[in-house]
Amino acid sequence: MESEVPLNPDSESENSNEETAILANRRRHYYHLNKKVELGEIAALFLSRTGHVLFFASLCIYLFCDLTIYVAASGKTIVNLSCKSSNNTENFTESCWEDSGVTRMDMYRIYVALFGLFVGPFTYFNVQKTKYLQIFTISVRWIAFSIMLSLAVFRLATYGQQGRPSLVNIAEVPALAGSSIYSFMCHHSLPGLIAPISNKQGLMSKISMDFSVICGFYLLISLTGSFAFETIDVLYSLNFMPTHDSGFLMKLIGMFLAVFPLFPMATSFPIIAITMQGNLKHLFFEPYGIERHGFFMKRLLFPSLAIFPPIITALITHDLKGLVEITGSYIGVIVQYVIPAFLVWSARRQTVKYFGISAHKYSSPFRHFGWFVFVLVWSVVCIVFVTVDLIINHS
């Protein structure tokens, strides 16, 4: 039986080389990071209509919980600054002042309402030029974190170990999972951060180093605080509240640290609320569909939906620990793990279909399908953890 021989082997080879060159040109054209593309645009590009709706719904719920935490933390901070000192800052049934008849919970609700009254209206405007505001917020945060770390180390050096944390505490693992997810919930900002960087060589190592530094700083703050204080307040900065026998400098530092959470929360609240109303518009309308509606819908309804539900929720509860657990371990799992995993999976399928290959110079070292499965399994584990914890605590 005769074997089939190509009529023109050289021609076939040339065609093959030409196709390879075309694919290479396509990869060079599309695989760059010079354009700022938000996560919502990526979801619209790679997810189905149902996936698109679920993405924006999850993001809106996450931002709602985030805003609620900001409002509740601000209210608790002002209560602890204005009311008499208490051995238990979580006890809101005590009187705020001696023989006043006004409880700490009453004052907390008043402060939450005042926070909404003074900070909420900024949501109705378009805050775009936030460069100097962000520089100020970051500076205040780093100064406060550095002072807290230094004071905790000083306490350890002066008074020795005060706290006796357990080596392992399985009961707090769900809270740790939720807090960790909530603390590192920043990946949705990466597209906007990466695009302006001119030299993108070694981008992965730089981002990895950044996350490693953040993780190391969190560990330093956590470990020094765990050993320096016998008990730790849910809002860590309140552990540095000055006492009546503190010197002037320590009182000044203590008051700064106690007030510190108000600065980033008050400045970030309008920005997050504006982001939430934008996501709400994407959830309920097609792209640019909101433009067909009038002033009430665009400038009043959606900003109100972004600020009033978080404020009402904060009026009902002041449980920051529970809010962080629920936000991190339920909504955070979806936003940080599930949705990005499906985005990557869908994007790789489309690139394989279009280019014939999914690997490129920006490919993740975790591109094996097993990592996709691992992320989904870990998501389920986190949700089980927090569910068990909530059932045990409320049984």
Side-chain angles (χ1 to χ4, degrees), residues 375-390:
V375 169
L376 296 183
V377 171
W378 176 245
S379 304
V380 174
V381 170
C382 290
I383 291 174
V384 170
F385 273 162
V386 75
T387 304
V388 171
D389 181 60
L390 290 173

Side-chain angles (χ1 to χ4, degrees), residues 27-28 44 69-70 78 89 163 202 222 229 260 264 301 328 352 376 395:
R27 287 195 288 271
R28 279 196 295 270
I69 291 170
Y70 274 40
I78 306 175
T89 56
S222 303
F229 298 97
F260 143 71
L301 178 62
V352 168
L376 296 183
S395 60

Side-chain angles (χ1 to χ4, degrees), residues 252-273:
L252 192 64
I253 292 174
M255 289 301 294
F256 167 74
L257 292 177
V259 175
F260 143 71
L262 293 175
F263 292 110
M265 287 185 286
T267 54
S268 299
F269 183 89
I271 298 172
I272 297 174

